[in-house]
């Protein structure tokens, strides 16, 4: 059994933030039903746009195998009234709804928080959007890149003499998704403390726990990660700027280049660690300098200290540098590429790379699920499904018979895939 076995999650989202939040629920055992737009009448289009992002395998993104693992895909055209009724029935039995539409869209479809709470008072709705559900900017489109910019992350990323850089992944969306999951788990704790899951029956003795909305704005989730940014500006008038690979005000902590052109990160910013680091690189003079015993003194001489470390690295290859500093118990690390991860003993010992298979039998490796729970661990039950793969299965669980399902397909309310599209496969240890 996994930690969230029995929890029911309905995903009304596309691309990154909402689906990533729902993915985490699914990784720890929740039953996640993902609503996707069906193919058009000519068979084109449809599905979460991320299906076609980056590198593809047989028409589906390799990213999709991770983002949609453990989810059931049901193809509903939410512009169709009968499809919206199906979504309401799913919400009636859900613990959590995750959505990342622009504010107001779900309300127009009768699927907003207040509308769904009226039929399921214990429902938790996680709403992820660029600017939140209120405020003058709520109706504007806001992707993760905008959240990273407005939340302060882009401003401090990169080198001081160059324009700001982006992190190499969609970090703003991912941070927002994590906040959504954290908020949902707190809301579920409150719901359970106030009556628990609603059983669909009203009356004395059948009071449901209190549901609520988790309102996550992408820019606010990023802003929440910005450490001492606000008080430093308020009290000291300091605007944190770009500092390249260094950690401003915490010395030494930077990226250095070895003789063979490799980059390593050395974090010698603890007082005792700094002393060991200076001895390891042959700078006993700096190790014994009373002005450098504390971080505030080192911060005033950061250029001198970084220069000494870089001079030492200039004369050593990466393996010698790593081994010397590890022997001195100094935090040091190579900057890993994915190729490094595939062969690294720590990654392998922790089983951080999992082997799975596509429906055609070809192999695919995925990242393992984190965090690692000792008693109720998460896992990958299957990789990302084909569009609408579970439509019939889900509808039958709601009481629709084959004739009703065929009629819904004919009206365009739902989409049903051909059998050959199925990609739902089990985990291979």
């Amino acid at each position: 059994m996994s930690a969230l076995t029995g929890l029911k999650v309905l995903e009304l989202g596309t691309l990154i933030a909402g689906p990533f939040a729902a993915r985490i629920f699914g990784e720890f055992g929740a039953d996640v039903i993902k609503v996707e737009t069906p193919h058009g009448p000519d068979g084109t289009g449809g599905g979460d746009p991320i299906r076609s992002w980056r590198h593809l395998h047989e028409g589906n993104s390799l990213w999709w195998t991770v983002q949609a693992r453990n989810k059931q895909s049901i193809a509903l055209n939410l512009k169709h009234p009968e499809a919206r009724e199906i979504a309401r029935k799913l919400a009636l039995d859900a613990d959590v709804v995750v959505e990342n539409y622009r504010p107001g869209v779900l309300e127009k479809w009768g699927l907003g928080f207040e509308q769904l709470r009226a039929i399921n008072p214990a429902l938790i709705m996680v709403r992820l959007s660029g600017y939140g559900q209120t405020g003058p900017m709520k109706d504007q489109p806001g992707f993760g890149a905008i959240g990273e910019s407005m939340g302060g992350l882009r401003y401090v990323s990169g080198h001081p003499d160059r324009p700001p850089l982006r992190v190499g992944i969609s970090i703003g969306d991912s941070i927002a998704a994590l906040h959504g999951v954290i908020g949902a788990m707190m809301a579920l704790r409150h719901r359970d403390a106030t009556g628990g899951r609603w059983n669909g029956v009203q009356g004395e003795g059948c009071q449901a726990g209190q549901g609520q909305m988790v309102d996550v704005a992408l820019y606010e989730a990023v802003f929440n990660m910005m450490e001492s940014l606000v008080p430093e500006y308020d009290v000291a008038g300091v605007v944190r700027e770009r500092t390249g690979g260094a950690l401003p005000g915490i010395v030494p902590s930077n990226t250095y280049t070895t003789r063979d052109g490799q980059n390593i990160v050395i974090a010698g910013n603890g007082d005792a660690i700094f002393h060991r680091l200076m001895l390891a690189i042959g700078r006993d003079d700096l190790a014994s300098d009373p002005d450098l015993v504390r971080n505030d003194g080192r911060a005033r001489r950061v250029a001198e200290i970084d220069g000494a470390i870089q001079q030492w690295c200039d004369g050593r290859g990466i393996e010698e540098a790593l081994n010397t500093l590890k022997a001195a118990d100094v935090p040091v690390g190579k900057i890993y590429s994915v190729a490094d991860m595939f062969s690294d003993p720590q990654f392998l010992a922790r089983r951080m790379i999992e082997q799975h298979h596509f429906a055609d039998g070809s192999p695919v490796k995925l990242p393992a699920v984190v965090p690692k729970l000792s008693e109720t661990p998460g896992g990958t039950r299957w990789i990302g499904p084909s569009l609408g793969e579970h439509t019939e299965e889900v509808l039958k669980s709601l009481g629709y018979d084959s004739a009703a399902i065929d009629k819904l397909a004919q009206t365009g309310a739902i989409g049903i895939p051909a059998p050959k599209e199925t990609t739902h496969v089990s985990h291979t240890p």
Side-chain angles (χ1 to χ4, degrees), residues 17 114 122 147 160 260 369 395:
E114 295 299 337
D260 48 3
V369 172
L395 291 179

Side-chain angles (χ1 to χ4, degrees), residues 305-334:
I305 294 169
D306 273 342
I309 298 172
Q310 183 57 61
Q311 184 179 33
W312 180 81
C313 289
D314 287 340
R316 285 151 187 84
I318 188 168
E319 292 303 324
E320 181 185 353
L322 290 172
N323 291 335
T324 300
L325 296 182
K326 287 177 181 178
D329 203 21
V330 173
V332 60
K334 175 182 177 180

Side-chain angles (χ1 to χ4, degrees), residues 262-420:
Q262 299 292 309
N263 294 313
I264 59 173
V265 172
I266 301 174
N269 43 67
D271 295 341
I273 298 173
F274 172 75
H275 184 79
R276 295 196 300 272
L277 171 59
M278 292 299 104
L279 293 178
I281 69 171
R283 293 301 302 264
D284 298 33
D285 57 322
L286 297 179
S288 59
D289 191 326
D291 292 339
L292 304 180
V293 170
R294 290 167 47 90
N295 181 71
D296 54 348
R298 296 193 296 273
R300 289 190 289 269
R301 293 168 61 180
V302 59
E304 178 186 359
I305 294 169
D306 273 342
I309 298 172
Q310 183 57 61
Q311 184 179 33
W312 180 81
C313 289
D314 287 340
R316 285 151 187 84
I318 188 168
E319 292 303 324
E320 181 185 353
L322 290 172
N323 291 335
T324 300
L325 296 182
K326 287 177 181 178
D329 203 21
V330 173
V332 60
K334 175 182 177 180
I335 296 179
Y336 279 44
S337 71
V338 67
D340 297 318
M341 298 172 191
F342 266 53
S343 59
D344 182 76
Q346 182 66 21
F347 272 82
L348 297 177
R350 298 277 290 178
R351 298 183 178 180
M352 284 306 302
I353 308 291
E354 297 180 346
Q355 179 71 66
H356 296 269
H357 290 84
F358 293 106
D360 63 5
S362 58
V364 58
K365 288 184 170 65
L366 302 185
V369 172
V370 294
K372 297 181 181 294
L373 304 185
S374 63
E375 305 303 322
T376 55
T380 303
R381 290 166 283 165
W382 63 83
I383 64 176
S386 63
L387 174 57
E389 181 176 332
H390 304 92
T391 301
E392 290 187 80
E393 178 183 337
V394 171
L395 291 179
K396 287 180 178 178
S397 73
L398 295 175
Y400 291 85
D401 59 22
S402 297
I405 293 172
D406 288 342
K407 183 177 180 181
L408 288 168
Q410 292 169 7
T411 63
I414 67 170
I416 300 175
K420 66 178 181 179

Side-chain angles (χ1 to χ4, degrees), residues 124-309:
I124 310 300
M125 178 178 268
V126 178
R127 312 199 75 170
L128 298 119
S129 61
Y131 305 101
Q133 301 298 310
T134 59
M137 297 179 71
K138 69 180 179 66
D139 295 324
Q140 296 183 27
F143 278 20
I146 308 303
E148 293 163 27
S149 301
M150 187 173 178
L153 179 61
R154 291 286 181 104
Y155 188 86
V156 301
S157 298
H159 293 275
D161 58 342
R162 303 175 194 173
L165 297 175
R166 73 180 295 271
V167 177
I169 57 171
S170 304
I171 192 70
D173 292 285
S174 301
I175 290 172
L178 293 173
H179 279 79
V181 174
I182 293 167
M185 297 310 296
M186 290 189 285
L188 286 165
R189 173 67 179 85
H190 174 72
R191 183 204 69 175
D192 291 345
T194 55
R197 196 174 196 275
W198 188 50
N199 61 8
V201 179
Q202 294 185 353
E204 187 175 354
C206 297
Q207 180 65 40
Q210 185 179 32
Q212 59 182 300
M213 177 175 63
V214 179
D215 181 3
V216 180
L218 268 67
Y219 84 93
E220 291 171 355
V222 172
F223 179 64
N224 194 38
M225 308 300 292
M226 296 306 297
E227 301 175 349
S228 56
L229 191 78
V230 168
E232 286 177 358
Y233 177 70
D234 180 54
V235 176
V238 173
V239 176
R240 185 177 289 198
E241 300 286 350
R242 295 183 290 284
T243 56
L247 194 58
I250 304 173
V251 179
S253 184
N254 210 335
T255 302
Y256 306 90
T257 304
T258 57
R259 182 179 59 200
D260 48 3
Q262 299 292 309
N263 294 313
I264 59 173
V265 172
I266 301 174
N269 43 67
D271 295 341
I273 298 173
F274 172 75
H275 184 79
R276 295 196 300 272
L277 171 59
M278 292 299 104
L279 293 178
I281 69 171
R283 293 301 302 264
D284 298 33
D285 57 322
L286 297 179
S288 59
D289 191 326
D291 292 339
L292 304 180
V293 170
R294 290 167 47 90
N295 181 71
D296 54 348
R298 296 193 296 273
R300 289 190 289 269
R301 293 168 61 180
V302 59
E304 178 186 359
I305 294 169
D306 273 342
I309 298 172

